[in-house]
Amino acid sequence: MVDSGYNGDVTTTVALVVDRLLENLAEPVGLIQRRIITDIGELRTDPQLLELLRSSVAGNVETVLTVIRYGIDIERVEPPTAALEYARRVAQHGIAVSALVRAYRLGQQEMLARVLKEIRDIDLEQDLGLLVYDAISTTSFEYIDWISQQVTDTYETERERWLEHRNSVRAVRIRELLDNDDDIDLDSAERALGYPLRGMHLALIGWTDEGGLAGDELLRLERFTRAAAEALHLHGTPLFMAEDRVSAWAWLPIHPGLSDPVGAVRALAENTYPAIHLALGTVDGGLAGFRRSHHRACDARRVAAAAPSSPRITTAGDPGVAVAALLSENIANTSRWVHDTLGPLAADTESDARLRETLQVFLQRGSSYTAAAEQLMLHPNSVRYRVAKAVERRGRPIVDDRIDVELALLACRHFQQAVLSTG
């Protein structure tokens, strides 16, 4: 029944329903986000978009509930900052505006379903419940019409601006180079890009934390690229291209004989640029190497994006990254395969994590307890115990499927909770 203190009129009961929703805001926000990414495939392709989508959903839900709760005129409402930024980012990624508008319609469906559940849980008298639902749904429709127009206008403005930026000669030529393996006029391409394609290259992909909307993300990434070139004492100028407003592609012209450029770039990012995330390719030569290094950086970024808490810097040359990139193409299938291969050993617990680490090192070191103990800084008997315990947790011995076990352990290390079982 309605809590004591409420007199049973429509306005007071609407406030009660809204207050209950606001008290547990994370639940409807989560339901709406899951519905959107389940039904609209275009909106689940980029991990940064997924993070910003949640912020957008949360901002819209809180705003519309506040409007309903206090009877605020829609014309006096300001669009949530994250909602407008999400519209801009969708435009930058070339996703159709219809997907954006549909997301709002799906969100409204989920929100109204949650409102109906709250009304039923309160156990209102039927006529009062209908009047409360009608009042809430009427305002929600007004809000959705209004915010849809706001984000559509923002999308169109940003799409026009972004296309103008993307149509620059440099961006077009870079994408042409990456999208096909044909031979080209190197002299002409080098003049257009201002970058030496015949030499050695180290490709990187950089992006910034999603939390800040300061607008200087690309500037920070470009500064880091220049700083990396200076730290390596490069003779040529690095090549830089914006991918969207918070991420960029870059190539460093590596000169022969340079010792560990990947390690130097990693150290610079770790020590001096804490807000920047990096995926680094491998050093490679010529036009084919320009392409390969970038594709490997893309692999490293995909591996980093697949894990809920990934390292800030991932390099294509890190052990297992190339294979993990293949496994990341379908995380759901990889997760099922990991559970089939490792059994209970794939549980998301601290004890199982220790067992997996020990077993992985043991297999990597040729099944030598002594060599594994040296790497893990443990007594050989401790390694022997943990390996036996890991096999016991798995539920069957490691015989002909040793490669499967090693790959499954690799997936657990890189993808963490994305492939581990919680039950």
Side-chain angles (χ1 to χ4, degrees), residues 1-2 8 13 119 122-132:
M1 299 298 292
V2 178
T13 311
I119 290 174
I122 296 172
D123 194 21
L124 298 176
E125 185 271 332
Q126 184 176 1
D127 288 344
L128 178 58
L130 289 173
L131 290 171
V132 168

Side-chain angles (χ1 to χ4, degrees), residues 5 25 59 61 100 108 146 168 213 219-220 254 340 346 407 419:
L25 194 63
V61 171
L100 183 64
Q108 184 186 31
W146 172 79
S168 66
L213 302 177
L219 180 59
R220 281 185 282 155
I254 305 299
D340 291 343
L407 288 175
V419 298

Side-chain angles (χ1 to χ4, degrees), residues 351-367:
S351 59
D352 284 305
R354 285 193 297 270
L355 296 179
R356 286 193 301 269
E357 179 190 21
T358 303
L359 179 59
Q360 184 176 33
V361 173
F362 172 72
L363 294 175
Q364 288 173 344
R365 300 305 296 267
S367 300

Side-chain angles (χ1 to χ4, degrees), residues 221-364:
L221 292 170
E222 192 166 10
R223 285 173 178 166
F224 170 78
T225 303
R226 290 199 300 267
E230 292 172 2
L232 295 173
H233 304 290
L234 301 182
H235 304 309
T237 302
L239 180 61
F240 181 90
M241 190 193 92
E243 183 187 13
D244 58 28
R245 289 184 64 181
V246 295
S247 59
W249 300 344
W251 287 260
L252 301 174
I254 305 299
H255 52 74
L258 187 61
S259 176
D260 192 19
V262 173
V265 174
R266 181 201 289 268
L268 177 67
E270 288 176 341
N271 299 328
T272 315
Y273 290 83
I276 287 178
H277 298 256
L278 280 183
L280 294 165
T282 53
V283 176
D284 213 327
L287 176 58
F290 177 89
R291 293 163 173 156
R292 276 194 300 268
S293 188
H294 174 73
H295 294 322
R296 288 168 181 162
C298 290
D299 289 343
R301 184 184 188 183
R302 193 161 64 247
V303 171
S309 55
S310 60
R312 192 166 60 84
I313 302 166
T314 305
T315 75
D318 288 345
V321 168
V323 174
L326 297 175
L327 295 175
S328 71
E329 292 182 359
N330 192 321
I331 285 294
N333 284 346
T334 296
S335 178
R336 285 190 288 270
W337 174 75
V338 166
H339 297 166
D340 291 343
T341 303
L342 298 182
L345 185 59
D348 184 19
T349 66
E350 290 185 9
S351 59
D352 284 305
R354 285 193 297 270
L355 296 179
R356 286 193 301 269
E357 179 190 21
T358 303
L359 179 59
Q360 184 176 33
V361 173
F362 172 72
L363 294 175
Q364 288 173 344

Side-chain angles (χ1 to χ4, degrees), residues 319 357-358 360-366 368-378 383 413:
E357 179 190 21
T358 303
Q360 184 176 33
V361 173
F362 172 72
L363 294 175
Q364 288 173 344
R365 300 305 296 267
S368 168
Y369 295 106
T370 302
E374 291 177 356
Q375 181 171 332
L376 294 168
M377 293 185 290
L378 295 171
V383 174
R413 181 163 66 86

Side-chain angles (χ1 to χ4, degrees), residues 31-305:
L31 289 172
I32 291 170
Q33 184 187 31
R34 286 193 291 274
R35 173 70 184 281
I36 290 171
I37 63 177
T38 297
D39 287 15
I40 309 177
E42 307 97 295
L43 299 182
R44 62 171 180 262
T45 57
D46 184 276
Q48 290 183 310
L49 274 182
L50 291 177
E51 293 176 15
L52 189 55
L53 172 60
R54 183 173 184 84
S55 297
S56 174
V57 170
N60 277 300
V61 171
E62 185 173 10
T63 299
V64 71
L65 290 179
T66 302
V67 168
I68 294 169
R69 174 67 173 82
Y70 297 103
I72 300 172
D73 191 325
I74 290 292
E75 294 180 357
R76 294 181 176 272
V77 178
E78 293 291 333
T81 301
L84 297 183
E85 182 63 21
Y86 184 73
R88 296 186 189 101
R89 212 68 63 81
V90 167
Q92 293 164 15
H93 283 261
I95 300 170
V97 70
S98 57
L100 183 64
V101 174
R102 186 180 174 216
Y104 277 89
R105 300 302 179 192
L106 293 176
Q108 184 186 31
Q109 289 179 15
E110 287 295 320
M111 191 66 211
L112 290 179
R114 183 65 187 178
V115 167
L116 189 58
K117 180 180 182 302
E118 291 294 337
I119 290 174
R120 288 170 175 165
D121 288 347
I122 296 172
D123 194 21
L124 298 176
E125 185 271 332
Q126 184 176 1
D127 288 344
L128 178 58
L130 289 173
L131 290 171
V132 168
Y133 181 82
D134 182 66
I136 293 175
S137 63
T138 296
T139 303
S140 75
F141 274 104
E142 292 176 359
Y143 178 84
I144 291 298
D145 284 343
W146 172 79
I147 191 65
S148 294
Q149 188 61 53
Q150 299 294 317
V151 297
T152 298
D153 291 345
T154 300
Y155 173 100
E156 297 294 352
T157 300
E158 180 64 19
R159 186 65 181 154
E160 183 178 348
R161 189 201 67 80
W162 189 250
L163 284 175
E164 182 178 338
H165 172 74
R166 285 277 302 275
N167 284 337
S168 66
V169 173
R170 173 175 288 190
V172 171
R173 293 305 296 266
I174 290 174
R175 292 183 181 278
E176 286 176 349
L177 288 177
L178 295 173
D179 290 344
N180 66 77
D181 295 326
D182 298 338
D183 292 331
I184 63 166
D185 182 343
L186 284 176
D187 291 332
S188 174
E190 287 182 341
R191 284 194 300 271
L193 298 178
Y195 179 85
L197 294 170
R198 292 178 172 86
M200 304 295 290
H201 318 281
L202 173 59
L204 61 89
I205 298 174
W207 64 100
T208 58
D209 286 321
E210 196 62 32
L213 302 177
D216 64 345
E217 293 87 353
L218 287 176
L219 180 59
R220 281 185 282 155
L221 292 170
E222 192 166 10
R223 285 173 178 166
F224 170 78
T225 303
R226 290 199 300 267
E230 292 172 2
L232 295 173
H233 304 290
L234 301 182
H235 304 309
T237 302
L239 180 61
F240 181 90
M241 190 193 92
E243 183 187 13
D244 58 28
R245 289 184 64 181
V246 295
S247 59
W249 300 344
W251 287 260
L252 301 174
I254 305 299
H255 52 74
L258 187 61
S259 176
D260 192 19
V262 173
V265 174
R266 181 201 289 268
L268 177 67
E270 288 176 341
N271 299 328
T272 315
Y273 290 83
I276 287 178
H277 298 256
L278 280 183
L280 294 165
T282 53
V283 176
D284 213 327
L287 176 58
F290 177 89
R291 293 163 173 156
R292 276 194 300 268
S293 188
H294 174 73
H295 294 322
R296 288 168 181 162
C298 290
D299 289 343
R301 184 184 188 183
R302 193 161 64 247
V303 171

